[in-house]
Amino acid sequence: MPSTISTTKNTKKIDVNPALRAGESGPTLTVMPLNFNGRALLEACLPTWKEALANCSESTELWILDNASEDDSKTWLLEHHPDVKWVGYSENKILASYNQALASCAS
């Protein structure tokens, strides 16, 4: 899809993904925020994340990686944002959750 970059001196058109222009499907952009007892943060941030992804020209998806939250993050998310994927871990794996999520996506 062509995109326009404006500067004070000129305007240039750039092609951000030539494969899409050729009619081929592009890659999927996956956003994976890490959550631990962050229900209030999810409530505050999810609308903005979803709006940003909806305005993206690429295929997108949003996953929440949860590190064994003890709050109502999962219940709230499933009730208010059923389109968002939930990956829950039985223990807090801190940042290692990302590695596990990426490994499961690759297989």
Side-chain angles (χ1 to χ4, degrees):
M1 284 266 158
S3 179
T4 302
I5 296 178
S6 297
T7 64
T8 56
K9 294 183 179 180
N10 60 18
T11 300
K12 296 180 183 177
K13 288 194 176 191
I14 60 169
D15 198 353
V16 295
N17 191 338
L20 293 179
R21 189 188 64 212
E24 300 172 16
S25 62
T28 297
L29 170 66
T30 303
V31 175
M32 297 183 189
L34 192 57
N35 181 60
F36 178 71
N37 294 333
R39 190 244 188 215
L41 289 172
L42 291 175
E43 188 172 357
C45 297
L46 268 168
T48 302
W49 294 335
K50 289 175 75 172
E51 181 181 352
L53 292 175
N55 290 318
C56 186
S57 63
E58 305 290 339
S59 172
T60 63
E61 61 185 359
L62 179 59
W63 296 18
I64 301 299
L65 306 180
D66 186 78
N67 274 330
S69 290
E70 297 173 351
D71 66 358
D72 66 338
S73 294
K74 180 179 181 181
T75 303
W76 179 86
L77 183 80
L78 294 175
E79 182 180 328
H80 293 92
H81 297 277
D83 56 317
V84 175
K85 296 179 182 177
W86 178 268
V87 178
Y89 295 103
S90 59
E91 62 182 303
N92 188 344
K93 297 184 180 287
I94 309 171
L95 292 177
S97 303
Y98 283 116
N99 295 335
Q100 284 190 313
L102 294 173
S104 67
C105 290
S107 54

